[in-house]
């Protein structure tokens, strides 16, 4: 008679701790958490368990207002556990001293620590990403690079560097969790979870967050895409339309007709909108002075910056910074 099939080997349960910060993003958190629940159905073993923590142990609201009741406040965890910091809006305010002190203490034990969405900001502020590779949501990219120049930032959907890992937010947390599952427990379980989530394209660290420029602007014109890419890469020191046109083998007039036809604006106007969008992100997300924001976005004088900003957003940079400070008492105007 054939020998009986041996029972599956015992699998040690991997424990995750989700630290929810005020105004965290719900999608990255729920996607990461549910991937663990689904994985436990793979062979009916408790492969993963989890706890939810907040700073004070009380309920916390995510950015859409939904409130989550945690299991506990900040408590000691085992060295083998994995921490996931779930960030979202107003991340500088919610990256409090108690949170950072707790993270540093757990990091000294050798605990693996990850950040979902803007959780990378909290990790960097606590010094946990110094000399490490990481990623963050594209909207926070500019402010992060201004504040944490000792961290190597990428525009990937997720990044793993030793026992530190980050994902950019949205559904990228699923790709990160699938990679961790595949590495720790095998590709079979990761692929099974992906199928259960109808996730037909598992992304890697090489995949970037944003849609390609042709897809984003709805135009598949190679020279137009190249010019826009050059604009996005040269915000602090803008390049003149004539130089941009020359670099793609066009005349300035041809470039202007191209922008007018496909984007209903001039190259100069489009470039200005890109610079002002970066300026707004920096004003809303950092403590940089208005003057330094102006310089970082290619404006030679604060007066010109203020004039352009008012024309675009119907308010001045100083008032924008003031309104942000009123929403966030810890962020004070410094101009």
């Amino acid at each position: 008679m054939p020998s009986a099939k041996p029972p599956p080997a015992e699998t040690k349960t991997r424990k995750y701790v989700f630290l929810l910060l005020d105004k965290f993003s719900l999608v990255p958190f729920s996607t990461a958490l549910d991937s663990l629940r689904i994985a436990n159905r793979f062979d009916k073993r408790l492969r993963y368990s989890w706890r939810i923590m907040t700073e004070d142990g009380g309920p916390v609201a995510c950015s859409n207002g939904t409130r989550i009741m945690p299991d506990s406040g900040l408590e000691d965890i085992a060295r083998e556990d994995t921490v996931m910091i779930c960030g979202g809006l107003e991340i500088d305010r919610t990256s409090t001293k108690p949170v950072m002190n707790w993270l540093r203490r757990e990091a000294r034990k050798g605990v693996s620590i990850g950040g979902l969405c803007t959780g990378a900001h909290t990790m960097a502020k606590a010094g946990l990403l110094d000399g490490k590779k990481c990623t963050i949501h594209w909207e926070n990219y500019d402010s992060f690079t201004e504040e944490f120049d000792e961290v190597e930032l990428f525009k990937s959907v997720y990044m793993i560097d030793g026992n530190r890992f980050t994902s950019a937010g949205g559904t990228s947390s699923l790709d990160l969790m699938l990679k961790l599952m595949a590495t720790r427990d095998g590709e079979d379980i990761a692929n099974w979870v992906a199928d259960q989530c109808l996730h037909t394209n598992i992304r890697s660290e090489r995949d970037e967050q944003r849609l390609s420029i042709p897809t984003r602007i709805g135009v598949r014109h190679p020279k137009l895409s190249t010019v826009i890419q050059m604009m996005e890469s040269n915000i602090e020191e803008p390049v003149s339309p004539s130089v941009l046109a020359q670099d793609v083998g066009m005349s300035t007039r041809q470039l202007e007709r191209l922008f007018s036809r496909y984007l209903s604006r001039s190259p100069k106007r489009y470039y200005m909108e890109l610079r002002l969008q970066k300026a707004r992100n920096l004003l809303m997300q950092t403590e940089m002075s208005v003057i330094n924001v102006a310089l970082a976005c290619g404006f030679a004088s604060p007066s010109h910056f203020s004039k352009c900003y008012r024309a675009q957003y119907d308010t001045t940079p100083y008032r924008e910074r003031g309104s942000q400070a009123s929403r966030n008492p810890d962020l004070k105007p410094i101009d």
Side-chain angles (χ1 to χ4, degrees), residues 78-89:
R79 184 180 184 277
E80 297 78 20
D81 294 353
T82 299
V83 173
M84 289 292 195
I85 308 163
C86 302
L89 301 178

Side-chain angles (χ1 to χ4, degrees), residues 146 236 282-283 287-299 302 305 334-335:
E146 292 288 344
E236 188 170 351
L282 293 177
L283 287 170
E287 297 183 47
M288 292 174 63
S289 69
V290 170
I291 292 175
N292 285 337
V293 169
L295 294 174
C297 298
F299 294 93
F305 173 48
I334 54 178
D335 299 295

Side-chain angles (χ1 to χ4, degrees), residues 128-144:
L128 305 186
L129 290 177
D130 291 356
K132 297 285 188 179
K133 299 175 182 178
C134 81
T135 189
I136 198 168
H137 192 280
W138 62 265
E139 196 173 39
N140 302 86
Y141 187 91
D142 293 327
S143 59
F144 190 99

Side-chain angles (χ1 to χ4, degrees), residues 149-160:
D149 56 6
E150 67 280 9
V151 181
E152 194 173 358
L153 187 64
F154 290 79
K155 295 182 178 180
S156 307
V157 290
Y158 69 84
M159 185 62 63
I160 299 175

Side-chain angles (χ1 to χ4, degrees), residues 21 85-88 91 114-124 136 166-167:
L21 304 182
I85 308 163
C86 302
I91 190 62
L116 306 183
C117 194
T118 58
H121 180 103
T122 307
M123 295 173 68
I136 198 168
T166 49
S167 74

Side-chain angles (χ1 to χ4, degrees), residues 9-219:
E10 288 297 322
T11 301
K12 186 176 181 180
T13 301
R14 300 187 186 279
K15 299 179 181 179
Y16 280 78
V17 174
F18 290 90
L19 174 58
L20 306 185
L21 304 182
D22 186 35
K23 294 192 175 182
F24 70 96
S25 295
L26 184 59
V27 170
F29 161 64
S30 60
T31 302
L33 177 62
D34 219 36
S35 70
L36 301 179
R37 175 193 67 81
I38 294 169
N40 284 340
R41 296 177 48 216
F42 178 66
D43 52 16
K44 298 183 180 180
R45 283 183 284 179
L46 186 63
R47 290 176 173 268
Y48 304 101
S49 66
W50 53 86
R51 295 169 58 195
I52 299 175
M53 291 185 181
T54 59
E55 180 179 339
D56 59 4
V60 64
C62 65
S63 56
N64 68 18
T66 302
R67 298 179 71 80
I68 302 293
M69 178 62 71
D71 299 305
S72 71
L74 299 175
E75 296 180 351
D76 289 344
I77 62 175
R79 184 180 184 277
E80 297 78 20
D81 294 353
T82 299
V83 173
M84 289 292 195
I85 308 163
C86 302
L89 301 178
E90 300 179 17
I91 190 62
D92 196 59
R93 174 184 66 80
T94 60
S95 301
T96 63
K97 287 184 178 179
V99 166
M100 290 190 293
N101 289 338
W102 180 79
L103 289 171
R104 292 179 185 125
R105 186 172 67 247
E106 299 306 321
R108 286 194 291 269
K109 296 180 184 177
V111 170
S112 296
I113 300 176
L116 306 183
C117 194
T118 58
H121 180 103
T122 307
M123 295 173 68
K125 195 172 180 180
L128 305 186
L129 290 177
D130 291 356
K132 297 285 188 179
K133 299 175 182 178
C134 81
T135 189
I136 198 168
H137 192 280
W138 62 265
E139 196 173 39
N140 302 86
Y141 187 91
D142 293 327
S143 59
F144 190 99
T145 54
E146 292 288 344
E147 190 166 353
F148 305 111
D149 56 6
E150 67 280 9
V151 181
E152 194 173 358
L153 187 64
F154 290 79
K155 295 182 178 180
S156 307
V157 290
Y158 69 84
M159 185 62 63
I160 299 175
D161 192 341
N163 65 348
R164 299 287 179 267
F165 31 84
T166 49
S167 74
T171 59
S172 69
S173 63
L174 177 57
D175 297 288
L176 171 63
M177 298 302 289
L178 293 173
K179 177 63 175 179
L180 295 176
M181 287 178 185
T183 302
R184 296 172 172 180
D185 297 307
E187 291 189 0
D188 285 349
I189 185 171
N191 291 336
W192 190 83
V193 171
D195 277 344
Q196 290 294 315
C197 294
L198 307 183
H199 194 60
T200 57
N201 183 26
I202 302 177
R203 294 173 291 183
S204 72
E205 291 176 302
R206 295 185 296 274
D207 289 301
E208 293 198 355
Q209 300 171 29
R210 303 191 72 184
L211 297 172
S212 66
I213 290 175
T215 304
R216 207 187 317 156
I217 65 176
V219 176

